[in-house]
Amino acid sequence: MLNAQGGVLRIGDRLNANSGVVLNASVSGSITIGDDVLIGPNVVIRSASHRFADPLDLIRNQGHISGPIIIGSDVWLAANVVVLPNVTIGDGAVIAAGAVVTRDVAPLAIVAGVPARQIGTRGQNGGT
């Protein structure tokens, strides 16, 4: 699913996206994806989140907070990854299955978990 209504979606060359992928840059958000990126099944990349600070108002009435998402080149996002607004994923990074990316990821980093944390670096940990 691609949605850039009211936002910007930029996709580089040779993107390989599996089934069930959601790229949502709506409501003033932006998503930029570099070249040679691999996206596994059921990955969600969403550049806006609901506001919910006022407990006396319905969440759906409070609007959204948007922020950019930048995914470098030669990045692999494995199955069921979620990438939230205001995140940059550096070139060559690997995001493990099921990770929730809430902050920037360094180039060549291997991250996993909820929230995602660095567990290694490509070239130092082998890789499977």
Side-chain angles (χ1 to χ4, degrees):
M1 194 274 300
L2 303 176
N3 184 355
Q5 184 175 2
V8 176
L9 177 59
R10 294 179 192 92
I11 298 174
D13 294 334
R14 297 171 300 279
L15 171 68
N16 188 337
N18 217 305
S19 62
V21 170
V22 174
L23 303 177
N24 192 329
S26 65
V27 294
S28 301
S30 71
I31 298 171
T32 302
I33 299 174
D35 297 334
D36 301 300
V37 172
L38 304 172
I39 301 179
N42 306 312
V43 169
V44 174
I45 302 171
R46 178 148 168 81
S47 63
S49 295
H50 289 278
R51 294 180 187 269
F52 57 87
D54 184 353
L56 301 178
D57 193 5
L58 296 172
I59 293 170
R60 68 175 167 208
N61 293 338
Q62 295 184 48
H64 294 84
I65 301 170
S66 299
I69 295 173
I70 300 170
I71 299 172
S73 295
D74 188 31
V75 170
W76 175 28
L77 291 92
N80 301 305
V81 165
V82 175
V83 181
L84 298 178
N86 297 307
V87 165
T88 297
I89 299 174
D91 292 345
V94 174
I95 314 301
V100 177
V101 182
T102 61
R103 59 185 175 180
D104 291 352
V105 175
L108 301 177
I110 302 168
V111 301
V114 179
R117 300 218 188 290
Q118 187 165 343
I119 61 168
T121 303
R122 284 182 62 194
Q124 294 178 354
N125 298 52
T128 56

